[in-house]
Amino acid sequence: MSGGHLIGAFLEMMSAERGAAANTIEAYQRDLADYAGFVTGRGETLENCRRDTVEAYLTGLKRQGLAASSSARRLSAIRQFHKFLCADGLRGDDPTRIVASPRSSRALPKVLSVAEVDRLLQTAESEANAAEDDGPVRLYVMLELLYATGLRVSELVALKRGAVMRDTGFITVVGKGRKERIVPLTDRARDAVRNWIERLPPGQMLFPAGGESGHVARQVFARDLKGLAARCGISSARVSPHVLRHAFASHLLSGGADLRVVQTLLGHADIATTQIYTHVLDETLRELVESHHPLADAAE
């Protein structure tokens, strides 16, 4: 059976047995036709090509500048195709079995400097003190809480009044998977929350609103935060609730906090998720060596 017929049989199976959408079938057809052409160019067939041919194909895609995510998608199609050939007895081995999937380098998170966060907090506090309505006060309290705890914005807006412990020194957070964690508050955040609760009418939510959820929407807080950034002379494109979460983690680590502690505070189930911040540790270690190594100034 020719390469084209093999691909056709695979696509027919994907459509009939797995119910693949038409655009998925078209994408697989393009990817597999390109792959088959490469295999043929190396003097092999789809029924006898080797693992190094698959790896050479992926290397070629990288040299062409194809994104790692797009290469990984092509490899997925090739894997499924070869599994189909093996299942139908058209070849006895799978050349993709131990081929590593292309991975894109994970972008470093956007982080505000300590001075920039301080400017946001000072401006928000000044506006809250001068305000006659609750909007600016709520923004200030939410900002203090976010930077003090590193909460996800979904966790922040959904906080209940009962989450604040009796002395307001800690809050109980319900995170992903309904897992609870206890997070300490800074003195500033504690005072802000305590004053906020005193001015709130009776109710269940810490940041109540009139919508279906009963609490302020994430989008409303994000919009208010960007407006605050603009008033502080900070590009609103650089500021979001998640950026403040990144700032919380990065500033803790640069101050000497343990990665495991930050993992717990952020509510990460896997330490690997928290390790995106290790660039902060690398910079801190470099500065530590330059400051304390006896030969650090030898070249000056």
Side-chain angles (χ1 to χ4, degrees):
M1 191 181 293
S2 68
H5 285 90
L6 289 173
I7 294 173
F10 167 71
L11 295 176
E12 184 178 342
M13 180 276 296
M14 291 291 293
S15 177
E17 297 182 16
R18 301 189 187 178
N23 58 343
T24 301
I25 296 296
E26 290 176 6
Y28 277 17
Q29 186 172 30
R30 289 193 302 270
D31 293 346
L32 291 174
D34 186 66
Y35 170 64
F38 180 84
V39 170
T40 301
R42 287 174 63 100
E44 299 176 350
T45 70
L46 296 174
E47 295 165 283
N48 65 19
C49 62
R50 299 166 299 171
R51 186 185 71 208
D52 60 356
T53 296
V54 178
E55 292 174 336
Y57 176 69
L58 295 174
T59 299
L61 295 179
K62 184 176 181 180
R63 287 174 179 164
Q64 293 170 28
L66 197 68
S69 56
S70 298
S71 295
R73 190 203 69 227
R74 290 203 189 186
L75 177 58
S76 175
I78 295 167
R79 282 192 201 282
Q80 293 184 66
F81 173 67
H82 279 295
K83 286 180 181 178
F84 164 75
L85 295 184
C86 292
D88 273 24
L90 296 172
R91 65 175 294 163
D93 66 312
D94 180 358
T96 69
R97 190 172 61 85
I98 57 174
V99 174
S101 181
R103 292 186 178 183
S104 55
S105 57
R106 196 170 184 182
L108 294 178
K110 297 179 182 178
V111 177
L112 296 172
S113 68
V114 173
E116 288 172 324
V117 174
D118 188 50
R119 200 188 321 165
L120 287 172
L121 288 169
Q122 286 189 17
T123 303
E125 185 177 21
S126 296
E127 293 179 353
N129 291 335
E132 296 182 359
D133 61 352
D134 287 343
V137 182
R138 183 185 67 192
L139 175 60
Y140 168 62
V141 176
M142 294 181 77
L143 181 57
E144 279 285 6
L145 262 179
L146 184 59
Y147 184 58
T149 62
L151 297 184
R152 300 177 178 92
V153 64
S154 57
E155 297 169 342
L156 175 69
V157 298
L159 280 174
K160 295 182 178 179
R161 195 182 303 210
V164 182
M165 296 188 174
R166 186 171 301 174
D167 64 353
T168 65
F170 296 85
I171 57 172
T172 303
V173 182
V174 180
K176 289 185 176 180
R178 305 299 299 171
K179 292 182 179 178
E180 288 191 357
R181 66 185 189 277
I182 295 176
V183 182
L185 298 181
T186 61
D187 290 344
R188 285 176 58 110
R190 182 194 62 210
D191 292 343
V193 171
R194 182 183 294 156
N195 293 334
W196 174 248
I197 289 176
E198 288 178 357
R199 78 185 280 158
L200 275 182
Q204 186 181 33
M205 307 307 298
L206 187 58
F207 301 109
E212 184 179 344
S213 66
H215 59 71
V216 64
R218 293 179 301 169
Q219 296 86 344
V220 170
F221 175 53
R223 180 200 65 202
D224 292 347
L225 186 57
K226 285 183 177 294
L228 174 66
R231 295 192 297 276
C232 291
I234 301 172
S235 170
S236 59
R238 296 182 56 229
V239 180
S240 71
H242 207 63
V243 168
L244 266 293
R245 176 171 160 88
H246 288 321
F248 163 81
S250 297
H251 296 170
L252 275 182
L253 287 170
S254 64
D258 183 83
L259 193 65
R260 289 283 183 185
V261 172
V262 175
Q263 176 195 1
T264 300
L265 294 174
L266 291 175
H268 287 162
D270 190 341
I271 188 68
T273 308
T274 320
Q275 285 173 338
I276 190 174
Y277 299 105
T278 53
H279 70 287
V280 177
L281 294 177
D282 293 342
E283 180 65 17
T284 301
L285 288 172
R286 185 186 66 78
E287 292 177 356
L288 182 67
V289 171
E290 289 185 352
S291 299
H292 294 83
H293 196 283
L295 299 181
D297 298 328
E300 295 183 4

